[in-house]
Amino acid sequence: MAEISENPVPPGDADALVVADNVHKRFGRLEVLRGIDLTVKRGEVMCVIGPSGSGKSTFLRCINHLEKLSAGRLWVNGELMGYRQKGGRLYELRDHEIAAQRRDIGMVFQRFNLFPHLSVLGNVIEAPVQVKRVPRAQATEKAMELLEKVGLPDKADAYPEQLSGGQQQRVAIARALAMEPSLMLFDEPTSALDPELVGEVLDVMRDLAEGGMTMVVVTHEMGFAREVGDSLVFMDEGVVVESGDPRDVLTDPGHERTQAFLSKVL
């Protein structure tokens, strides 16, 4: 059971897709998140930067309840993630209820996590067919559209081991999109790629942003954050140190911790 405040509905405006209210996460005595307050609006691309161990990936995993909150609340689409409220306290939902919430959230990890025994097409249609019970023919048609979108229609019958890292990551994006999510989470999606393959993945993400997809992107790609991001959040030691327009934060950071970090990565 998570500790909560008394506000039963998410703060913020009607355009908010994600609302984090005083989010804490502890692993034993280690407090990884120490009171995160953030709002992601519909259609917004929020980029999250910061040093290793700052809590970026943990926060991303809290959004879809891959990590349980230790305190605070988190809403997606106006729905409290992972919990229901009863009598002023929060009680964790059952596994199948949490899985139902996650259907509307796509996530792309550092490692591609494709099913090695399934073809590219098989990877993309697996969740729609098995989870949403979409007819196979309909799922296949949609999958081919998505593979076209990520530039891989000719790889439908290939297996993950036959693809480059960049191609595998693009398949992972197509697989996430196959569930028709309203929110996409990217956890350093290019960090495991060879430098020459980074651009092809960022191009797909750029196209998604231009199409209006709401995205939260943990990244070290400052050029992408500057060009594509609507907002930039700098995290360190489990807190949001600074946030704002990416061009402003990257060009003229207001906090000395942000300045010190950017001096090492720009």
Side-chain angles (χ1 to χ4, degrees), residues 123-135 139 175 178-179:
N123 268 277
V124 178
I125 70 172
E126 179 74 3
V129 170
Q130 298 298 328
V131 178
K132 297 181 76 173
R133 304 300 181 189
V134 176
R175 182 176 63 176
M179 291 293 282

Side-chain angles (χ1 to χ4, degrees), residues 15 25 27 42 47 50-51 81 83 86 92 94 98 102 108 110 118 131 149 182 225 231 234 239 256-258:
D15 290 332
K25 176 61 184 178
F27 295 99
R42 298 179 191 278
C47 293
M81 276 302 298
Y83 298 94
K86 185 177 180 181
E92 190 171 14
R94 296 174 180 174
I98 295 170
R102 290 191 185 126
V108 178
Q110 297 179 37
L118 295 179
V131 178
K149 188 182 187 75
S182 62
S231 60
F234 172 66
V239 300
E256 62 182 15
R257 289 160 77 186
T258 316

Side-chain angles (χ1 to χ4, degrees), residues 78-99:
E79 188 173 354
L80 194 61
M81 276 302 298
Y83 298 94
R84 69 166 53 88
Q85 180 175 332
K86 185 177 180 181
R89 295 188 68 82
L90 296 183
Y91 296 85
E92 190 171 14
L93 298 177
R94 296 174 180 174
D95 288 347
H96 74 274
E97 294 173 309
I98 295 170

